[in-house]
Amino acid sequence: MAGSGNSEVKLLGAWASPYVARARIALNLKEVQYEFLEEQFGTKSELLLKSNPIYKKIPVLIHDDKPICESLIIVQYIDEVWVSSGPALMPADAYDRALHRFWAVYIDDKFVPSLFGMMRAPTEEAKAESKEQALASLQLLEEAFGKISKGKPFFGGDTIGYLDVALGAFVGWMKAFEEMNGFKLLDDAKTPLLCAWAENFCNNEVVGAVIPETAKLVELAKVMQARFKSAPPAN
Amino acid sequence: MASEKGVMLLDFWVSPFGQRARIALAEKGVEYEYKEENLRDKSELLLKSNPIHKKIPVLIHDGKPICESLIIVQYIDETWSDKAPLLPSDPYQRAQARFWADFVDKKVFECGGKLWKLKGEEQEAAKKEMIEILQILEAQLGDKKYFGGDIFGFVDVAFVPFTSWFYSYETCANFSVEEVAPKIVQWAKRCMERESVEKTLPDPKRVYEFVCYLKKRFGIE
């Protein structure tokens, strides 16, 4: 049932979510026509609650009425279903696949919490700690890039791959945090490979259409920060 | 770095994560060298093979390390693909298998830890959470033989090691898994009929002894 012309594809998401961006980038790379159903900030639609009853979170890909949840699982699904459309996102070699998966999990478990930790931190101390962790994570990712890319522009080699999508979806938010906090996360001196990579990634047509403008993210971040500070954390 | 041919697993006997790798290797009939790590005095090889997390399990195949248990299981499934497929071939079924294995990862170990680490109200809350987790998994299993359907698959491998912790969870938090999730208990028994599982999982009483040892070490109770 892969790639049938009339299959119906919907994506439940939100413009600012980097997890949703992963799914959108993958769909775009595979030239899949889909309907983007925007969830309103602060509310969850019936369709979302029905499609993802366990976590009630976006993104959710709905393919011929069947839901797929969790952004990294969605990206692998897209890669496997629309297999004849565009280059594969996952590497061909099993060991390389394991490396891409390892670093994608690392990004989710270590890098992303420290990145958003800077915004949510209740004290200056906590904020500084998050910043340290974010920078340390990027240093490790810089080394990983050196080994995995083997001199090519992307983690996936000549073309954008699974790990590029996993990390690249966060570039918009990284730029927003750089602007808000007045320091560089990606630094020509410390992470030159990732700097070049980020530029190559964002210059890709289908990616550029998905990553939100820095100014809009900064604006949203300020709204969210005010919410965190004024009320006890909602879910 | 000279790459030694062969398969090695750096592990710790009671680790449910390590057991996933052992079960997968056994299902595939792969010969490997098992190396027990002392987690309070980690070997050079472990620190070199998993410098990021310094954790077990680590699978070393022809000198190349693979870390993170579910990633290891997928690697084993893809590399020794001629026998006992763990992930289904249909992309939607694969996505479901990955989702539920990930659910086990996110929920079971951490909640289980709370059951023996906490007391009073906090423990009660953790118990409620664990019951909910078990019932969600039971609903997912339904009347199937395994989570993978007729085939012992990825989710079965991901979850079955935690069944030898059920006795510890029950004893510490005072509840019965059989009462709240009888199908899960039946499924666990079916899994134990497989040689790969039966030879890998420790006796639940030994796991409980280990939990008691941990409680002493952390000064709990």
Side-chain angles (χ1 to χ4, degrees), chain B residues 11 16 18 26 50 71 83 87 90 96 100 102 120-121 128 137 143 153-154 171-172 180 200 210 212-214 220:
Chain B
D11 201 346
N50 190 357
I71 295 176
K83 194 181 163 187
L87 274 161
D90 172 68
Q96 293 308 298
W100 287 105
D102 179 63
E121 263 180 52
K128 279 204 177 93
L137 286 165
D143 292 315
F154 191 58
T171 309
C172 292
V180 303
T200 298
F210 179 76
C212 291
Y213 154 76
L214 283 181
I220 299 163

Side-chain angles (χ1 to χ4, degrees), chain A residues 1 52 54-55 66-70 73 76-77 80-81 94-95 97-98 101-103 105-106 110 140, chain B residues 52-53 64-68 71 74-75 78-79 91-92 94-96 98-100 102-103 106 136:
Chain A
M1 71 163 245
N52 190 357
I54 302 291
Y55 301 118
K66 295 193 293 196
I68 299 104
C69 308
E70 295 296 291
I73 294 176
Q76 286 182 88
Y77 176 81
E80 289 168 13
V81 170
Y95 187 73
R97 279 201 291 281
R101 285 176 178 140
F102 174 86
W103 285 106
V105 167
Y106 178 85
K110 305 282 182 194
L140 289 175
Chain B
I52 308 291
H53 303 299
K64 295 191 291 191
I66 301 108
C67 309
E68 295 295 298
I71 295 176
Q74 286 184 85
Y75 176 83
E78 290 167 11
T79 303
Y92 183 72
R94 290 161 78 83
Q96 293 308 298
R98 286 178 175 135
F99 177 88
W100 287 105
D102 179 63
F103 176 85
K106 281 179 163 70
I136 288 172

